[in-house]
């Protein structure tokens, strides 16, 4: 299928004018769609939204002013730039064209270079407007997510405080302060991942990264087993985000494994992929909870009163997907859990 620079709708009831514009535009790589009446132009625009419209004014039944008015009243077409191309050259003709929503005005007979320059200018402006609107919508969505997470934060703080006796109030504050810090950090991690922030991709050796994170979180409260290969395991990734993925998985294992339990961390390669496996002998996940375990704020542990925000695993899944990877879990209630992250290795040079 041929790729065009842009789709331009031509509206003119004079065949010679239409032919001239078609040849001009197609020669420059544009898709040119000719129509010879206002009604036909509206049908064509609604059937397939153009990127720009070249519109004559003096046409029978429906003139260009009426066509432009209809276009600007249509929510699906109001943002399409309209350039009037007309033999009318009185000031009031041009003023009326702009009043009904025209983006520009070219007087016939026209110079090809001028028409092309105006087309390119308004296509560039339209593209920039779309980028600004996309950025604005992304910022609005980010603000909405922040408001939602702030509400959930407030709910969790209230839930943890409302049942406290007055005598235990200060003790609750001390206990909850660390949990709230963790919750806020998880919220910030979640919003950062979801905001579409650009990742800093570079070669990352997962062996060094995993070992570093294990060293940070390993304590004597659990029996740790680490199985890492001697050779490098290289992936194309953001080292900060991948480190966050590993830390969240290890922290999850520590949180749900009783003191004296076992935590095993393994890294291997298989069929062009790196496999990170974190297994524990903790409380496990019931069959009913497994399908929802990666959803934001989902707490499969609510019945055992283990502190947590319900965000850590959703962040892990999001980071894995950003690296073209996947995460799966095998678990049974009371029998521990095994999380497996798979992501593609860097191609061998």
């Amino acid at each position: 299928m041929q790729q065009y620079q842009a789709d331009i709708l031509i509206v003119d009831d004079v065949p010679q004018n239409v032919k001239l514009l078609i040849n001009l535009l197609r020669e420059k790589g544009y898709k040119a769609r000719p129509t010879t009446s206002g009604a036909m132009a509206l049908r064509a625009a609604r059937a397939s939204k153009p990127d720009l419209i070249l519109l004559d004014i003096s046409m029978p039944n429906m003139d260009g002013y009426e066509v432009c008015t209809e276009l600007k009243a249509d929510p699906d077409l109001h943002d399409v730039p309209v350039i009037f191309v007309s033999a009318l050259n009185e000031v009031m003709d041009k003023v009326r064209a702009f009043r009904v929503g025209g983006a520009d005005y070219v007087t016939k007979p026209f110079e090809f270079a001028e028409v092309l320059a105006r087309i390119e200018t308004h296509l560039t402006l339209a593209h920039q407007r779309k980028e600004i609107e996309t950025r604005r919508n992304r910022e609005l969505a980010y603000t909405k997510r922040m408001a939602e997470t702030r509400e959930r934060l407030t709910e969790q703080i209230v839930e943890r405080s409302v049942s406290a006796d007055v005598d235990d109030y200060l003790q609750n504050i001390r206990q909850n302060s660390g949990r709230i810090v963790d919750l806020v950090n998880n919220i910030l991690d979640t919003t950062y991942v979801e905001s579409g922030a650009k990742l800093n991709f570079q070669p990352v050796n997962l062996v060094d990264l995993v070992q570093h994170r294990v060293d940070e979180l390993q304590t004597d409260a659990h029996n740790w087993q680490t199985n890492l290969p001697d050779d490098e395991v290289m992936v194309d990734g953001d080292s900060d985000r991948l480190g966050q993925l590993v830390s969240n998985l290890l922290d999850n294992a520590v949180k749900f494994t009783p003191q004296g339990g076992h935590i095993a961390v393994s890294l291997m390669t298989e069929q062009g992929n790196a496999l990170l496996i974190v297994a524990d002998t903790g409380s496990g996940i019931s069959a009913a909870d497994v399908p929802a375990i990666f959803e934001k704020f989902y707490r499969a542990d609510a019945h055992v009163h283990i502190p947590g925000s319900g965000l850590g695993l959703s962040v892990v899944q999001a980071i894995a997907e950003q690296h073209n990877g996947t995460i799966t879990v095998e678990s049974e209630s009371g029998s521990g859990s095994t999380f497996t992250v798979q992501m593609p290795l860097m191609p061998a040079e």
Side-chain angles (χ1 to χ4, degrees):
M1 180 180 294
Q2 183 174 352
Q3 298 295 315
Y4 297 98
Q5 291 189 54
D7 178 1
I8 299 178
L9 186 65
I10 302 171
V11 191
D12 197 319
D13 65 327
V14 179
Q16 295 89 334
N17 293 338
V18 173
K19 186 175 181 180
L20 278 173
L21 287 170
I22 288 175
N23 292 336
L24 168 67
L25 296 174
R26 289 179 177 172
E27 181 182 339
K28 296 299 181 180
Y30 293 108
K31 179 180 180 179
R33 287 192 285 150
T35 59
T36 54
S37 71
M40 184 186 300
L42 291 173
R43 287 195 297 271
R46 287 165 179 158
S48 179
K49 183 178 179 179
D51 296 305
L52 183 141
I53 298 174
L54 297 177
L55 179 59
D56 187 27
I57 293 177
S58 300
M59 296 183 294
N61 299 321
M62 178 182 285
D63 64 24
Y65 298 128
E66 295 174 279
V67 174
C68 190
T69 300
E70 289 279 343
L71 290 168
K72 297 304 172 182
D74 189 321
D76 294 326
L77 300 172
H78 75 279
D79 59 339
V80 177
V82 176
I83 298 179
F84 282 95
V85 183
S86 175
L88 301 177
N89 60 2
E90 296 294 329
V91 172
M92 292 309 299
D93 298 320
K94 298 178 183 179
V95 169
R96 185 179 177 188
F98 288 114
R99 281 179 176 171
V100 297
D104 211 336
Y105 196 104
V106 178
T107 304
K108 297 177 183 177
F110 52 77
E111 293 290 337
F112 285 175
E114 178 187 4
V115 173
L116 287 173
R118 292 176 185 263
I119 287 173
E120 290 170 2
T121 296
H122 288 288
L123 286 174
T124 299
L125 291 173
H127 177 69
Q128 291 173 344
R129 282 195 296 269
K130 287 179 181 178
E131 285 189 338
I132 292 171
E133 184 66 19
T134 299
R135 192 175 298 115
R136 177 176 174 272
N137 290 337
R138 186 181 298 134
E139 290 173 353
L140 289 174
Y142 177 82
T143 302
K144 181 180 178 182
R145 287 196 299 271
M146 285 296 293
E148 291 173 349
T149 52
R150 187 166 52 246
E151 289 178 6
R152 295 301 298 268
L153 171 60
T154 302
E155 290 174 4
Q156 291 200 14
I157 293 173
V158 171
E159 287 174 0
R160 291 170 180 171
S161 301
V162 73
S163 61
D165 294 330
V166 175
D167 292 340
D168 297 329
Y169 185 69
L170 292 177
Q171 180 63 24
N172 275 333
I173 290 177
R174 285 192 291 270
Q175 290 177 347
N176 286 334
S177 61
R179 300 173 188 174
I180 293 172
V181 170
D182 291 340
L183 179 60
V184 170
N185 286 336
N186 276 324
I187 289 172
L188 292 175
D189 290 340
T190 301
T191 52
Y192 180 85
V193 170
E194 292 181 345
S195 68
K198 187 176 181 180
L199 300 185
N200 180 27
F201 279 90
Q202 58 186 348
V204 177
N205 181 11
L206 288 181
V207 176
D208 291 341
L209 186 147
V210 172
Q211 184 64 65
H212 176 68
R213 298 293 170 147
V214 169
D215 291 341
E216 285 185 336
L217 294 172
Q218 185 173 349
T219 67
D220 295 334
H222 300 94
N223 297 308
W224 288 74
Q225 179 182 354
T226 305
N227 300 307
L228 304 179
D230 295 329
D231 296 330
E232 294 181 336
V233 176
M234 302 301 297
V235 298
D236 185 23
D238 185 306
S239 59
D240 290 335
R241 300 279 71 82
L242 289 175
Q244 181 184 6
L245 177 151
V246 176
S247 292
N248 282 15
L249 283 177
L250 298 181
D251 182 66
N252 189 75
V254 170
K255 184 189 305 179
F256 290 97
T257 303
Q259 187 170 344
H262 293 266
I263 298 174
V265 183
S266 302
L267 181 65
M268 63 187 69
T269 60
E270 182 179 279
Q271 297 179 345
N273 292 301
L275 299 180
L276 171 64
I277 304 170
V278 178
D280 62 65
T281 58
S283 57
I285 306 166
S286 69
D289 286 323
V290 166
I293 197 65
F294 298 108
E295 294 180 5
K296 285 189 299 184
F297 295 108
Y298 193 84
R299 292 288 308 279
D301 61 291
H303 63 287
V304 293
H305 305 293
I306 295 177
S309 64
L311 288 170
L313 291 178
S314 68
V315 171
V316 169
Q317 183 182 55
I319 295 173
E321 291 174 351
Q322 287 177 327
H323 290 78
N324 298 317
T326 60
I327 180 170
T328 57
V329 59
E330 296 179 6
S331 184
E332 290 184 18
S333 183
S335 300
S337 302
T338 300
F339 290 88
T340 302
V341 176
Q342 174 178 302
M343 64 184 65
L345 293 167
M346 287 192 67
E349 295 183 357

